[in-house]
Every structure is written in structure tokens, then in C-alpha cells.
Amino acid sequence: MPQPYAALAVWNAEISAKGALPALLLGASRAEALKNFEKTLNLDPVTMSYHVEYGRALLNMNDAKLRARGVQQLQYALTLTPRTYWERDEQRKARELLGQLR
């Protein structure tokens, strides 16, 4: 089940992005976010929202290599065929995030 790993990944990424003090107080870390996103994608590589959330999290990290991986995740999400309204919405979000980088 990839959902719990995705939730942990997003939580760690969101808290870590708020700064060192909130991350320290709440026990969040960028390393945990990355580990849980990778585990999520290993378990379910075709769910679009996982790629979009991973891409968003990577773009929020202050590291050029991670930001480049974030762009790759968002671009990959755009190659997937949306199966539902929600996946079409995820693709819209991916396009918006990529558009903000220009």
C-alpha cells in the first residue's frame, strides 16, 4: 500500500520546507521525505498524484539537483494518461508548476 508512504513523504516535505526549527520540533526531515517518496513510487509508479507531489516537494528543496529531479517528476506526470477527472487536475497542477519555472 503506497498511500501511507505518500502521506509520510508529503508531511516530512511540508514540515521540512518550513525551516529547521519546525522540522526539529516535529521530527520531520528532508531525507525521510525523499525515502518515503521513493518507496511510494516503487510500490505504485503510475499514480499521477504521487509524481506531482514528489515534483512539488523537490522544487521546494534548496538544492539544484533535487529541483532538476522535481522537474523530471512533473514532466513524467504529463506523459501519463489521465484515467479520471482528478488525474486531469493533477496534470493541470504539473503544467502550472512547470510554467512557474520559466
Side-chain angles (χ1 to χ4, degrees), residues 68-87:
R69 279 177 46 197
V71 169
Q72 290 173 337
Q73 288 298 319
L74 294 171
Q75 289 172 335
Y76 181 74
L78 295 176
T79 69
L80 297 172
T81 302
R83 299 170 289 185
T84 65
Y85 164 82
W86 300 110
E87 288 187 342

Side-chain angles (χ1 to χ4, degrees), residues 31-84:
E32 280 297 308
L34 296 173
K35 179 180 84 171
N36 284 301
F37 272 123
E38 290 299 324
K39 193 164 217 172
T40 300
L41 293 178
N42 284 333
L43 291 170
D44 183 356
V46 297
T47 295
M48 198 175 302
S49 62
Y50 298 150
H51 293 282
V52 174
E53 286 301 322
Y54 191 18
R56 180 191 328 269
L58 290 168
L59 290 177
N60 288 331
M61 295 181 184
N62 255 351
D63 182 305
K65 288 181 185 178
L66 293 178
R67 288 177 60 83
R69 279 177 46 197
V71 169
Q72 290 173 337
Q73 288 298 319
L74 294 171
Q75 289 172 335
Y76 181 74
L78 295 176
T79 69
L80 297 172
T81 302
R83 299 170 289 185
T84 65

